[in-house]
mmCIF file of all heavy atoms in Angstrom:
data_model
loop_
_atom_site.group_PDB
_atom_site.id
_atom_site.type_symbol
_atom_site.label_atom_id
_atom_site.label_comp_id
_atom_site.label_asym_id
_atom_site.label_seq_id
_atom_site.Cartn_x
_atom_site.Cartn_y
_atom_site.Cartn_z
ATOM 1 N N GLU A 647 12.693 -0.884 -11.587
ATOM 2 C CA GLU A 647 11.804 -1.988 -12.009
ATOM 3 C C GLU A 647 10.827 -2.316 -10.911
ATOM 4 O O GLU A 647 11.193 -2.292 -9.712
ATOM 5 C CB GLU A 647 12.710 -3.246 -12.239
ATOM 6 C CG GLU A 647 13.587 -3.159 -13.493
ATOM 7 C CD GLU A 647 12.767 -3.080 -14.782
ATOM 8 O OE1 GLU A 647 11.843 -3.933 -14.906
ATOM 9 O OE2 GLU A 647 13.107 -2.273 -15.593
ATOM 10 N N PRO A 648 9.588 -2.592 -11.318
ATOM 11 C CA PRO A 648 8.627 -2.992 -10.287
ATOM 12 C C PRO A 648 9.107 -4.248 -9.576
ATOM 13 O O PRO A 648 9.692 -5.134 -10.212
ATOM 14 C CB PRO A 648 7.362 -3.241 -11.076
ATOM 15 C CG PRO A 648 7.536 -2.586 -12.357
ATOM 16 C CD PRO A 648 9.025 -2.535 -12.622
ATOM 17 N N PRO A 649 8.897 -4.349 -8.280
ATOM 18 C CA PRO A 649 9.327 -5.552 -7.603
ATOM 19 C C PRO A 649 8.607 -6.770 -8.010
ATOM 20 O O PRO A 649 7.456 -6.774 -8.427
ATOM 21 C CB PRO A 649 9.029 -5.216 -6.130
ATOM 22 C CG PRO A 649 8.025 -4.144 -6.165
ATOM 23 C CD PRO A 649 8.217 -3.428 -7.472
ATOM 24 N N VAL A 650 9.299 -7.926 -7.954
ATOM 25 C CA VAL A 650 8.684 -9.227 -8.281
ATOM 26 C C VAL A 650 8.570 -9.966 -6.952
ATOM 27 O O VAL A 650 9.519 -10.149 -6.293
ATOM 28 C CB VAL A 650 9.521 -9.979 -9.284
ATOM 29 C CG1 VAL A 650 8.880 -11.347 -9.579
ATOM 30 C CG2 VAL A 650 9.717 -9.214 -10.570
ATOM 31 N N TYR A 651 7.335 -10.426 -6.626
ATOM 32 C CA TYR A 651 7.044 -11.071 -5.436
ATOM 33 C C TYR A 651 6.787 -12.552 -5.624
ATOM 34 O O TYR A 651 6.211 -12.906 -6.661
ATOM 35 C CB TYR A 651 5.873 -10.444 -4.670
ATOM 36 C CG TYR A 651 6.141 -8.954 -4.342
ATOM 37 C CD1 TYR A 651 5.565 -7.935 -5.072
ATOM 38 C CD2 TYR A 651 6.983 -8.643 -3.318
ATOM 39 C CE1 TYR A 651 5.767 -6.632 -4.750
ATOM 40 C CE2 TYR A 651 7.233 -7.295 -2.994
ATOM 41 C CZ TYR A 651 6.629 -6.290 -3.710
ATOM 42 O OH TYR A 651 6.874 -5.000 -3.429
ATOM 43 N N LEU A 652 7.119 -13.343 -4.618
ATOM 44 C CA LEU A 652 6.868 -14.761 -4.673
ATOM 45 C C LEU A 652 5.344 -15.037 -4.674
ATOM 46 O O LEU A 652 4.884 -15.975 -5.410
ATOM 47 C CB LEU A 652 7.533 -15.476 -3.495
ATOM 48 C CG LEU A 652 7.555 -16.973 -3.477
ATOM 49 C CD1 LEU A 652 8.202 -17.520 -4.705
ATOM 50 C CD2 LEU A 652 8.302 -17.466 -2.255
ATOM 51 N N PHE A 653 4.632 -14.229 -3.946
ATOM 52 C CA PHE A 653 3.146 -14.379 -3.851
ATOM 53 C C PHE A 653 2.544 -13.024 -4.235
ATOM 54 O O PHE A 653 2.144 -12.294 -3.391
ATOM 55 C CB PHE A 653 2.691 -14.765 -2.470
ATOM 56 C CG PHE A 653 3.327 -16.097 -1.998
ATOM 57 C CD1 PHE A 653 4.354 -16.105 -1.133
ATOM 58 C CD2 PHE A 653 2.854 -17.302 -2.509
ATOM 59 C CE1 PHE A 653 4.934 -17.287 -0.711
ATOM 60 C CE2 PHE A 653 3.425 -18.517 -2.108
ATOM 61 C CZ PHE A 653 4.462 -18.492 -1.187
ATOM 62 N N PRO A 654 2.476 -12.787 -5.547
ATOM 63 C CA PRO A 654 2.021 -11.443 -5.962
ATOM 64 C C PRO A 654 0.614 -11.007 -5.537
ATOM 65 O O PRO A 654 0.385 -9.885 -5.175
ATOM 66 C CB PRO A 654 2.146 -11.483 -7.511
ATOM 67 C CG PRO A 654 2.303 -12.908 -7.899
ATOM 68 C CD PRO A 654 2.755 -13.653 -6.665
ATOM 69 N N ASP A 655 -0.312 -11.970 -5.531
ATOM 70 C CA ASP A 655 -1.667 -11.650 -5.143
ATOM 71 C C ASP A 655 -1.765 -11.143 -3.705
ATOM 72 O O ASP A 655 -2.358 -10.136 -3.404
ATOM 73 C CB ASP A 655 -2.610 -12.824 -5.354
ATOM 74 C CG ASP A 655 -2.901 -13.042 -6.858
ATOM 75 O OD1 ASP A 655 -2.727 -12.125 -7.626
ATOM 76 O OD2 ASP A 655 -3.270 -14.193 -7.194
ATOM 77 N N SER A 656 -1.126 -11.892 -2.801
ATOM 78 C CA SER A 656 -1.169 -11.460 -1.414
ATOM 79 C C SER A 656 -0.360 -10.181 -1.166
ATOM 80 O O SER A 656 -0.776 -9.296 -0.369
ATOM 81 C CB SER A 656 -0.657 -12.566 -0.499
ATOM 82 O OG SER A 656 0.657 -12.925 -0.841
ATOM 83 N N GLN A 657 0.689 -9.996 -1.948
ATOM 84 C CA GLN A 657 1.479 -8.698 -1.837
ATOM 85 C C GLN A 657 0.653 -7.523 -2.334
ATOM 86 O O GLN A 657 0.774 -6.441 -1.754
ATOM 87 C CB GLN A 657 2.800 -8.837 -2.659
ATOM 88 C CG GLN A 657 3.638 -7.623 -2.498
ATOM 89 C CD GLN A 657 4.039 -7.322 -1.052
ATOM 90 O OE1 GLN A 657 4.385 -8.229 -0.290
ATOM 91 N NE2 GLN A 657 3.998 -6.051 -0.669
ATOM 92 N N HIS A 658 -0.166 -7.740 -3.338
ATOM 93 C CA HIS A 658 -1.026 -6.621 -3.770
ATOM 94 C C HIS A 658 -1.910 -6.124 -2.645
ATOM 95 O O HIS A 658 -2.159 -4.933 -2.488
ATOM 96 C CB HIS A 658 -1.846 -7.051 -4.958
ATOM 97 C CG HIS A 658 -1.077 -7.319 -6.212
ATOM 98 N ND1 HIS A 658 -0.072 -6.458 -6.655
ATOM 99 C CD2 HIS A 658 -1.096 -8.343 -7.106
ATOM 100 C CE1 HIS A 658 0.453 -6.988 -7.762
ATOM 101 N NE2 HIS A 658 -0.176 -8.128 -8.044
ATOM 102 N N TYR A 659 -2.444 -7.060 -1.871
ATOM 103 C CA TYR A 659 -3.358 -6.625 -0.784
ATOM 104 C C TYR A 659 -2.572 -5.916 0.320
ATOM 105 O O TYR A 659 -3.028 -5.031 0.962
ATOM 106 C CB TYR A 659 -4.147 -7.809 -0.220
ATOM 107 C CG TYR A 659 -5.159 -8.306 -1.229
ATOM 108 C CD1 TYR A 659 -5.071 -9.505 -1.834
ATOM 109 C CD2 TYR A 659 -6.207 -7.431 -1.598
ATOM 110 C CE1 TYR A 659 -5.998 -9.924 -2.805
ATOM 111 C CE2 TYR A 659 -7.148 -7.841 -2.533
ATOM 112 C CZ TYR A 659 -7.023 -9.070 -3.141
ATOM 113 O OH TYR A 659 -7.946 -9.475 -4.072
ATOM 114 N N VAL A 660 -1.329 -6.366 0.547
ATOM 115 C CA VAL A 660 -0.495 -5.653 1.496
ATOM 116 C C VAL A 660 -0.165 -4.236 1.013
ATOM 117 O O VAL A 660 -0.279 -3.283 1.762
ATOM 118 C CB VAL A 660 0.805 -6.431 1.771
ATOM 119 C CG1 VAL A 660 1.807 -5.613 2.593
ATOM 120 C CG2 VAL A 660 0.530 -7.744 2.437
ATOM 121 N N THR A 661 0.164 -4.142 -0.254
ATOM 122 C CA THR A 661 0.446 -2.814 -0.857
ATOM 123 C C THR A 661 -0.829 -1.934 -0.787
ATOM 124 O O THR A 661 -0.728 -0.748 -0.438
ATOM 125 C CB THR A 661 0.935 -3.005 -2.286
ATOM 126 O OG1 THR A 661 2.112 -3.799 -2.330
ATOM 127 C CG2 THR A 661 1.165 -1.623 -2.928
ATOM 128 N N LEU A 662 -1.964 -2.537 -1.070
ATOM 129 C CA LEU A 662 -3.259 -1.795 -1.066
ATOM 130 C C LEU A 662 -3.465 -1.296 0.407
ATOM 131 O O LEU A 662 -3.901 -0.144 0.564
ATOM 132 C CB LEU A 662 -4.323 -2.772 -1.448
ATOM 133 C CG LEU A 662 -5.571 -2.159 -2.116
ATOM 134 C CD1 LEU A 662 -5.187 -1.373 -3.313
ATOM 135 C CD2 LEU A 662 -6.509 -3.330 -2.490
ATOM 136 N N ALA A 663 -3.165 -2.075 1.395
ATOM 137 C CA ALA A 663 -3.330 -1.687 2.791
ATOM 138 C C ALA A 663 -2.408 -0.550 3.132
ATOM 139 O O ALA A 663 -2.777 0.420 3.805
ATOM 140 C CB ALA A 663 -3.140 -2.878 3.716
ATOM 141 N N LYS A 664 -1.180 -0.599 2.574
ATOM 142 C CA LYS A 664 -0.208 0.499 2.793
ATOM 143 C C LYS A 664 -0.709 1.813 2.197
ATOM 144 O O LYS A 664 -0.673 2.864 2.836
ATOM 145 C CB LYS A 664 1.120 0.127 2.127
ATOM 146 C CG LYS A 664 1.975 -0.904 2.880
ATOM 147 C CD LYS A 664 3.281 -1.082 2.112
ATOM 148 C CE LYS A 664 4.081 -2.213 2.603
ATOM 149 N NZ LYS A 664 5.297 -2.413 1.792
ATOM 150 N N VAL A 665 -1.227 1.691 0.958
ATOM 151 C CA VAL A 665 -1.681 2.892 0.278
ATOM 152 C C VAL A 665 -2.888 3.478 1.114
ATOM 153 O O VAL A 665 -2.921 4.686 1.372
ATOM 154 C CB VAL A 665 -2.099 2.575 -1.174
ATOM 155 C CG1 VAL A 665 -2.828 3.774 -1.834
ATOM 156 C CG2 VAL A 665 -0.930 2.127 -1.994
ATOM 157 N N GLN A 666 -3.796 2.616 1.472
ATOM 158 C CA GLN A 666 -4.996 3.076 2.195
ATOM 159 C C GLN A 666 -4.576 3.723 3.507
ATOM 160 O O GLN A 666 -5.040 4.832 3.841
ATOM 161 C CB GLN A 666 -5.952 1.904 2.487
ATOM 162 C CG GLN A 666 -7.218 2.335 3.191
ATOM 163 C CD GLN A 666 -8.183 1.232 3.417
ATOM 164 O OE1 GLN A 666 -7.847 0.002 3.172
ATOM 165 N NE2 GLN A 666 -9.386 1.549 3.817
ATOM 166 N N ASN A 667 -3.694 3.066 4.279
ATOM 167 C CA ASN A 667 -3.276 3.593 5.548
ATOM 168 C C ASN A 667 -2.558 4.949 5.398
ATOM 169 O O ASN A 667 -2.883 5.889 6.140
ATOM 170 C CB ASN A 667 -2.346 2.597 6.238
ATOM 171 C CG ASN A 667 -1.885 2.981 7.606
ATOM 172 O OD1 ASN A 667 -1.067 3.905 7.701
ATOM 173 N ND2 ASN A 667 -2.382 2.306 8.619
ATOM 174 N N TYR A 668 -1.720 5.031 4.395
ATOM 175 C CA TYR A 668 -0.950 6.240 4.210
ATOM 176 C C TYR A 668 -1.869 7.435 3.791
ATOM 177 O O TYR A 668 -1.752 8.503 4.242
ATOM 178 C CB TYR A 668 0.190 6.022 3.153
ATOM 179 C CG TYR A 668 1.152 7.199 3.158
ATOM 180 C CD1 TYR A 668 2.044 7.389 4.203
ATOM 181 C CD2 TYR A 668 1.167 8.074 2.101
ATOM 182 C CE1 TYR A 668 2.933 8.436 4.206
ATOM 183 C CE2 TYR A 668 2.068 9.181 2.070
ATOM 184 C CZ TYR A 668 2.955 9.314 3.113
ATOM 185 O OH TYR A 668 3.838 10.375 3.114
ATOM 186 N N LEU A 669 -2.777 7.141 2.872
ATOM 187 C CA LEU A 669 -3.651 8.205 2.390
ATOM 188 C C LEU A 669 -4.621 8.634 3.445
ATOM 189 O O LEU A 669 -4.956 9.855 3.533
ATOM 190 C CB LEU A 669 -4.399 7.762 1.144
ATOM 191 C CG LEU A 669 -3.506 7.518 -0.104
ATOM 192 C CD1 LEU A 669 -4.388 7.094 -1.314
ATOM 193 C CD2 LEU A 669 -2.614 8.644 -0.419
ATOM 194 N N GLU A 670 -5.102 7.758 4.274
ATOM 195 C CA GLU A 670 -5.979 8.127 5.367
ATOM 196 C C GLU A 670 -5.200 9.016 6.371
ATOM 197 O O GLU A 670 -5.768 10.053 6.839
ATOM 198 C CB GLU A 670 -6.563 6.879 6.060
ATOM 199 C CG GLU A 670 -7.625 6.207 5.289
ATOM 200 C CD GLU A 670 -8.042 4.850 5.846
ATOM 201 O OE1 GLU A 670 -7.360 4.380 6.809
ATOM 202 O OE2 GLU A 670 -9.091 4.300 5.399
ATOM 203 N N ASN A 671 -3.940 8.670 6.659
ATOM 204 C CA ASN A 671 -3.131 9.520 7.532
ATOM 205 C C ASN A 671 -2.830 10.908 6.884
ATOM 206 O O ASN A 671 -2.774 11.879 7.561
ATOM 207 C CB ASN A 671 -1.828 8.846 7.867
ATOM 208 C CG ASN A 671 -2.055 7.706 8.907
ATOM 209 O OD1 ASN A 671 -2.971 7.775 9.697
ATOM 210 N ND2 ASN A 671 -1.156 6.747 8.927
ATOM 211 N N LEU A 672 -2.627 10.891 5.592
ATOM 212 C CA LEU A 672 -2.340 12.104 4.887
ATOM 213 C C LEU A 672 -3.550 13.063 4.931
ATOM 214 O O LEU A 672 -3.385 14.289 5.116
ATOM 215 C CB LEU A 672 -1.959 11.816 3.411
ATOM 216 C CG LEU A 672 -1.476 12.958 2.537
ATOM 217 C CD1 LEU A 672 -0.311 13.692 3.216
ATOM 218 C CD2 LEU A 672 -1.008 12.447 1.192
ATOM 219 N N LEU A 673 -4.774 12.497 4.847
ATOM 220 C CA LEU A 673 -5.965 13.406 4.980
ATOM 221 C C LEU A 673 -6.056 13.954 6.391
ATOM 222 O O LEU A 673 -6.432 15.056 6.539
ATOM 223 C CB LEU A 673 -7.232 12.592 4.700
ATOM 224 C CG LEU A 673 -7.663 12.457 3.224
ATOM 225 C CD1 LEU A 673 -8.937 11.629 3.087
ATOM 226 C CD2 LEU A 673 -7.881 13.799 2.610
ATOM 227 N N LEU A 674 -5.693 13.088 7.391
ATOM 228 C CA LEU A 674 -5.750 13.618 8.740
ATOM 229 C C LEU A 674 -4.636 14.683 9.032
ATOM 230 O O LEU A 674 -4.769 15.491 9.943
ATOM 231 C CB LEU A 674 -5.559 12.467 9.729
ATOM 232 C CG LEU A 674 -6.730 11.457 9.783
ATOM 233 C CD1 LEU A 674 -6.407 10.271 10.636
ATOM 234 C CD2 LEU A 674 -8.008 12.117 10.252
ATOM 235 N N ASN A 675 -3.577 14.599 8.257
ATOM 236 C CA ASN A 675 -2.417 15.499 8.436
ATOM 237 C C ASN A 675 -2.240 16.431 7.215
ATOM 238 O O ASN A 675 -1.105 16.744 6.867
ATOM 239 C CB ASN A 675 -1.150 14.736 8.689
ATOM 240 C CG ASN A 675 -1.172 13.943 9.922
ATOM 241 O OD1 ASN A 675 -1.116 14.543 11.030
ATOM 242 N ND2 ASN A 675 -1.303 12.625 9.914
ATOM 243 N N LYS A 676 -3.349 16.906 6.675
ATOM 244 C CA LYS A 676 -3.280 17.722 5.462
ATOM 245 C C LYS A 676 -2.502 19.020 5.669
ATOM 246 O O LYS A 676 -2.017 19.619 4.674
ATOM 247 C CB LYS A 676 -4.622 17.977 4.864
ATOM 248 C CG LYS A 676 -5.615 18.712 5.783
ATOM 249 C CD LYS A 676 -6.974 18.763 5.232
ATOM 250 C CE LYS A 676 -7.928 19.370 6.289
ATOM 251 N NZ LYS A 676 -9.269 19.100 5.955
ATOM 252 N N ASP A 677 -2.376 19.428 6.902
ATOM 253 C CA ASP A 677 -1.568 20.630 7.171
ATOM 254 C C ASP A 677 -0.109 20.460 6.748
ATOM 255 O O ASP A 677 0.608 21.422 6.500
ATOM 256 C CB ASP A 677 -1.686 21.083 8.632
ATOM 257 C CG ASP A 677 -1.179 20.001 9.597
ATOM 258 O OD1 ASP A 677 -1.571 18.803 9.385
ATOM 259 O OD2 ASP A 677 -0.459 20.301 10.526
#
């Protein structure tokens, strides 16, 4: 089940930052 957060809007931005950070690192480590 998708997680339910007390402050969903702010959590979305945290999740967005996680996705961005991870994908940028993945591009740098594509090997």
Side-chain angles (χ1 to χ4, degrees):
E647 289 294 316
V650 178
Y651 298 105
L652 189 56
F653 301 103
D655 288 337
S656 58
Q657 183 58 42
H658 292 315
Y659 290 114
V660 170
T661 301
L662 209 55
K664 286 181 189 176
V665 172
Q666 181 178 11
N667 183 288
Y668 192 71
L669 295 183
E670 286 171 348
N671 285 334
L672 189 52
L673 275 179
L674 293 173
N675 295 289
K676 60 187 173 196
D677 59 315

